[in-house]
């Protein structure tokens, strides 16, 4: 088993701003009208890149597909499905992408769940990657899962009490390895967040006896690479978040609508 740990300092995201963003996204989706299969934004502008392919708008089972730029037809290799849409209880979406490259055919299934939109309490993201032709699935596929307990996160970043369980945790599972990650924040003296990220890597199957040897040979280099990757991610966060959190919900909604319309 190999262990990694590193702490970064991040610009904070206000809880009220985050919750307003969640409400804004739901308002934008619920304000979108449907004419046949075509969608119109709340201001009446048509949304050219997405169509309702099946079901009723925002009802469980509704399926949306992007429009293929070449022929204007729905893309059969990509699909967004509404699993649940209830602002008080749960919002759940599934995104499926199929890569039909003859040399590496693959299917990626991602599910995002949020409880609830009116007062977000937790979010769960799961993903499964597997070859779409059913061959070599054991070694070319894998699963990932991340869970964010927003109540624990806001509590840890406001009063500094160490949570009994990591507010953010995740696992990556492959036939040869399993990676477990935990993320715990605390307030820094200057008001920012001090975020400690820990990872634990376990070998599986034939890789189990090889992992200790690899950790002994490349452990220092791997830890340096791990720390540098987190520092780059923190730098990107700190460069972009301050301007983002200064925008109110109305401005964010307008910018998102413009982005959906494309260039």
């Amino acid at each position: 088993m190999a262990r990694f740990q590193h702490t970064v300092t991040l610009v904070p995201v206000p809880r009220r701003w985050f919750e307003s963003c969640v409400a804004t996204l739901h308002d934008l989706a619920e304000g979108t009208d449907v004419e046949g299969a075509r969608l119109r934004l709340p201001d009446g502008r048509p949304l050219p890149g997405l169509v309702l392919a099946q079901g009723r708008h925002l009802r469980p089972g509704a399926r949306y597909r992007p429009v293929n730029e070449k022929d204007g037809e729905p893309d059969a290799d990509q699909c967004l499905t509404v699993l649940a849409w209830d602002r008080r209880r749960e919002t759940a979406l599934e995104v499926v992408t199929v890569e039909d490259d003859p040399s590496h055919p693959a299917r990626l299934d991602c599910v995002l769940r949020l409880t609830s939109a009116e007062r977000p309490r937790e979010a769960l993201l799961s993903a499964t990657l597997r070859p779409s032709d059913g061959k070599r699935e054991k070694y070319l596929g894998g699963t990932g899962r991340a869970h964010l307990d927003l109540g624990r996160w806001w509590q840890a970043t406001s009063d500094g009490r160490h949570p009994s369980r990591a507010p953010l945790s995740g696992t990556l599972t492959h036939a040869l390895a399993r990676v477990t990650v935990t993320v715990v924040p605390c307030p820094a003296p200057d008001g920012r967040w001090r975020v400690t990220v820990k990872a634990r890597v376990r070998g599986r199957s034939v890789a189990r006896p090889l992992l200790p040897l690899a950790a002994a040979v490349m452990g220092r280099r791997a830890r340096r690479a791990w720390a540098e990757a987190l520092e780059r991610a923190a730098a990107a966060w700190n460069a972009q978040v301050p301007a983002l959190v200064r925008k109110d919900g109305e401005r964010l909604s307008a910018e998102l609508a413009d982005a959906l319309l494309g260039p």
Side-chain angles (χ1 to χ4, degrees):
M1 182 172 63
R3 297 177 183 271
F4 303 88
Q5 177 175 328
H6 189 68
T7 299
V8 295
T9 302
L10 302 178
V11 172
V13 173
R15 179 175 184 172
R16 183 172 297 180
W17 180 87
F18 173 82
E19 293 180 347
S20 72
C21 287
V22 173
T24 295
L25 289 172
H26 280 71
D27 290 341
L28 181 60
E30 292 168 2
T32 300
D33 292 327
V34 180
E35 297 178 355
R38 299 294 176 176
L39 305 175
R40 286 188 178 274
L41 294 172
D43 59 11
R45 290 180 293 175
L47 187 59
L50 193 69
V51 295
L52 176 62
Q54 180 180 326
R56 299 177 62 185
H57 183 49
L58 297 184
R59 298 292 181 90
R63 290 187 175 182
Y64 304 82
R65 295 187 185 275
V67 175
N68 193 313
E69 295 182 357
K70 295 181 180 179
D71 55 16
E73 295 296 323
D75 190 344
D77 293 336
Q78 299 183 62
C79 179
L80 183 151
T81 302
V82 176
L83 303 179
W85 193 277
D86 187 330
R87 295 178 73 131
R88 295 182 179 181
R89 298 180 180 179
E90 181 186 49
T91 301
L93 304 173
E94 179 187 48
V95 178
V96 176
T97 302
V98 177
E99 177 57 60
D100 56 4
D101 184 342
S103 59
H104 298 93
R107 175 187 170 106
L108 177 63
D109 295 72
C110 298
V111 176
L112 174 64
R113 298 183 180 275
L114 175 69
T115 310
S116 64
E118 290 191 349
R119 188 168 181 81
R121 297 194 300 274
E122 62 178 349
L124 178 65
L125 174 65
S126 60
T128 301
L129 175 66
R130 61 180 182 273
S132 57
D133 61 359
K135 299 177 181 179
R136 300 168 294 178
E137 183 171 350
K138 182 176 182 180
Y139 294 107
L140 295 183
T143 62
R145 182 181 176 92
H147 176 258
L148 172 60
D149 187 321
L150 288 159
R152 293 179 187 272
W153 185 276
W154 300 126
Q155 183 180 57
T157 54
S158 60
D159 58 25
R161 287 189 295 174
H162 191 81
S164 58
R165 187 172 66 247
L168 176 57
S169 61
T171 58
L172 292 172
T173 304
H174 183 267
L176 299 178
R178 179 181 176 88
V179 182
T180 304
V181 179
T182 59
V183 182
V184 179
C186 68
D190 61 0
R192 294 186 295 173
W193 292 343
R194 294 275 293 168
V195 179
T196 299
V197 185
K198 297 180 180 180
R200 184 175 61 188
V201 184
R202 292 180 178 272
R204 303 181 69 204
S205 184
V206 296
R208 182 174 299 173
L210 300 178
L211 183 62
L213 177 60
V217 174
M218 302 185 64
R220 182 176 298 179
R221 183 179 300 176
R223 286 179 174 83
R224 185 185 304 117
W226 162 264
E228 290 175 351
L230 289 177
E231 289 293 343
R232 287 194 298 270
W237 173 286
N238 292 334
Q240 298 175 22
V241 167
L244 192 61
V245 298
R246 287 195 293 267
K247 299 176 182 180
D248 58 20
E250 184 176 350
R251 184 176 177 185
L252 286 171
S253 179
E255 292 185 359
L256 178 58
D258 290 340
L260 290 172
L261 291 172

